[in-house]
Amino acid sequence: MTDLSGLVHLGPDDDPAPSLAGLEDDGSPVAVLADLRGIGDVADRCRSLGRAMWGVSDVLSRTGVGLGVVVDPGIDPEVALGALGRAVLPVTAHTDEAVVRGWLVGQLVAGPARVRPVAGSRSTGGSALLHDYVLEHASGPADPVAAALGAETTDRFGALGGMNIGEDQGRFLQLLTEVSGARHVVEVGTFTGMSALWIARGLPEDGRLICCDVSEEYTSVGRPFWERAGVAGRIEIRIGPALDTLRAMPVEPHIDLAFVDADKTGYADYVEELLLRLSPGGIIAVDNVLWGGTVIDPSVADDDTDAIRRLNDDLAARDDLDVVMLTIGDGVTLVRRR
């Protein structure tokens, strides 16, 4: 018999904030079933649910295994997923409660280990089931070093572990590094080093990745895992404001690939400095360009969201650049000079 004691059921009339506020971190897996049938504004309730879950993110990031949302047959489940935005947990939504409940039971049976610590719910608008499908259809098994780094980040910094890229995006960055033939790579925003791990794996032995970050506390977490993966010798950390670090580099084409994943209000400046130094055929990859789907939500207006919207619009309008936006992770835009 499956133990469903960890299943938190939220009915259509339940306020999610107080309902989740009592969650305790006792090590037992927790799953949330949100029944939103009969609710007029599903998107509004999902936004409230998303905020409530972030309010207890420290607990959910350690023991949470999934959020399942049930909507009326006439409602597109994607509406719920999009409104939830940057969810704390892997999420699925469906019109059939049995399907959702079955998935949650599976998550509870497997426990917290079932949720890949490398940001298993990072794909904007995608369900956890679809995310799992993507990973299961990549070559090779789940990466143990990346998983261990993700777990270490969550153990030390709680919900901030969600800032790490997922394994699908990591594999993409490694392949992009390899197929582009990049030898000189710059990363703006390193955190605990997940993206650096994947990028460095794609570099040749004499390749170099320069990581720009302002925190020694965060970046130091990654070094043992880079060592374990055998790529630490390819990575150089430069602590300080990234704009200063970039402007100190020679203004000549020498950067083959860049990955931007730092403060969103600084994105436009980072991209401009990188373009000045980009090698012929070089590529800039900009992360979080969908920002949990809020870029298309007119009710959301804050400095980060507005900065990402402006950057997206400005890049798409430039006739000197080739620009393509991908829906992997939280959205990645690839940029190169024509």
Side-chain angles (χ1 to χ4, degrees), residues 195-308:
S195 51
L197 169 68
W198 288 103
I199 292 171
R201 280 175 162 161
L203 286 170
E205 289 294 332
D206 61 348
R208 174 57 61 93
L209 168 61
I210 295 176
C211 295
C212 308
D213 206 283
V214 295
S215 172
E216 292 184 1
E217 178 185 13
Y218 290 149
T219 54
S220 64
V221 174
R223 184 159 295 281
F225 299 93
W226 301 338
E227 294 280 359
R228 190 185 306 180
V231 298
R234 305 172 194 171
I235 301 173
E236 175 188 345
I237 301 175
R238 296 187 183 179
I239 299 296
L243 207 54
D244 293 346
T245 301
L246 294 175
R247 288 173 175 167
M249 295 179 181
V251 184
E252 60 185 32
H254 68 284
I255 297 175
D256 304 317
L257 176 66
F259 181 56
V260 179
D261 185 16
D263 58 296
K264 312 312 169 191
T265 55
Y267 266 23
D269 289 334
Y270 301 145
V271 169
E272 286 305 313
E273 293 298 328
L274 289 165
L275 283 171
L276 292 173
R277 297 160 174 82
L278 203 60
S279 300
I283 297 172
I284 302 173
V286 185
D287 198 21
N288 301 120
V289 294
L290 297 180
W291 205 226
T294 59
V295 289
I296 60 170
D297 186 345
S299 70
V300 177
D302 55 69
D303 290 344
D304 287 338
T305 307
D306 291 342
I308 293 172

Side-chain angles (χ1 to χ4, degrees), residues 42 46 69 71-83 92-95 125:
V42 169
C46 281
V69 179
V71 297
D72 285 314
I75 301 295
D76 184 352
E78 293 294 327
V79 171
L81 293 172
T92 194
H94 205 281
T95 57

Side-chain angles (χ1 to χ4, degrees):
M1 179 68 70
T2 302
D3 181 6
L4 297 182
S5 60
L7 182 62
V8 178
H9 187 278
L10 300 178
D13 298 324
D14 292 330
D15 186 339
S19 298
L20 296 176
L23 289 177
E24 297 181 359
D25 187 357
D26 61 0
S28 301
V30 174
V32 179
L33 172 63
D35 185 354
L36 303 187
R37 290 172 293 186
I39 290 179
D41 192 340
V42 169
D44 183 66
R45 179 60 63 89
C46 281
R47 283 190 286 269
S48 297
L49 177 58
R51 289 191 294 268
M53 296 183 75
W54 277 108
V56 290
S57 58
D58 283 346
V59 175
L60 291 178
S61 67
R62 298 178 191 279
T63 62
V65 296
L67 164 66
V69 179
V70 186
V71 297
D72 285 314
I75 301 295
D76 184 352
E78 293 294 327
V79 171
L81 293 172
L84 282 165
R86 295 164 60 84
V88 179
L89 300 176
V91 181
T92 194
H94 205 281
T95 57
D96 188 337
E97 181 180 353
V99 172
V100 174
R101 187 176 287 271
W103 178 74
L104 290 174
V105 168
Q107 296 291 95
L108 286 168
V109 169
R114 176 68 180 81
V115 182
R116 293 178 177 86
V118 276
S121 60
R122 289 295 299 233
S123 296
T124 296
S127 69
L129 286 172
L130 188 59
H131 183 82
D132 284 347
Y133 183 87
V134 169
L135 290 181
E136 289 161 1
H137 288 79
S139 58
D143 184 80
V145 180
L149 173 55
E152 177 71 14
T153 302
T154 298
D155 286 344
R156 293 184 60 169
F157 304 114
L160 290 179
M163 291 168 56
N164 273 330
I165 64 169
E167 182 161 340
D168 56 339
Q169 190 173 344
R171 288 175 179 266
F172 167 74
L173 287 176
Q174 179 179 343
L175 186 61
L176 181 64
T177 305
E178 292 172 346
V179 300
S180 68
R183 305 176 73 86
H184 187 183
V185 182
V186 173
E187 177 180 72
V188 180
T190 297
F191 188 43
T192 60
M194 183 68 77
S195 51
L197 169 68
W198 288 103
I199 292 171
R201 280 175 162 161
L203 286 170
E205 289 294 332
D206 61 348
R208 174 57 61 93
L209 168 61
I210 295 176
C211 295
C212 308
D213 206 283
V214 295
S215 172
E216 292 184 1
E217 178 185 13
Y218 290 149
T219 54
S220 64
V221 174
R223 184 159 295 281
F225 299 93
W226 301 338
E227 294 280 359
R228 190 185 306 180
V231 298
R234 305 172 194 171
I235 301 173
E236 175 188 345
I237 301 175
R238 296 187 183 179
I239 299 296
L243 207 54
D244 293 346
T245 301
L246 294 175
R247 288 173 175 167
M249 295 179 181
V251 184
E252 60 185 32
H254 68 284
I255 297 175
D256 304 317
L257 176 66
F259 181 56
V260 179
D261 185 16
D263 58 296
K264 312 312 169 191
T265 55
Y267 266 23
D269 289 334
Y270 301 145
V271 169
E272 286 305 313
E273 293 298 328
L274 289 165
L275 283 171
L276 292 173
R277 297 160 174 82
L278 203 60
S279 300
I283 297 172
I284 302 173
V286 185
D287 198 21
N288 301 120
V289 294
L290 297 180
W291 205 226
T294 59
V295 289
I296 60 170
D297 186 345
S299 70
V300 177
D302 55 69
D303 290 344
D304 287 338
T305 307
D306 291 342
I308 293 172
R309 286 174 179 147
R310 285 194 300 271
L311 178 69
N312 292 343
D313 292 343
D314 291 346
L315 289 176
R318 290 182 59 163
D319 58 11
D320 62 328
L321 303 176
D322 287 320
V323 178
V324 61
M325 184 179 289
L326 309 176
T327 55
I328 188 171
D330 193 28
V332 177
T333 291
L334 301 183
V335 182
R336 72 173 182 180
R337 287 196 176 278
R338 288 182 175 167

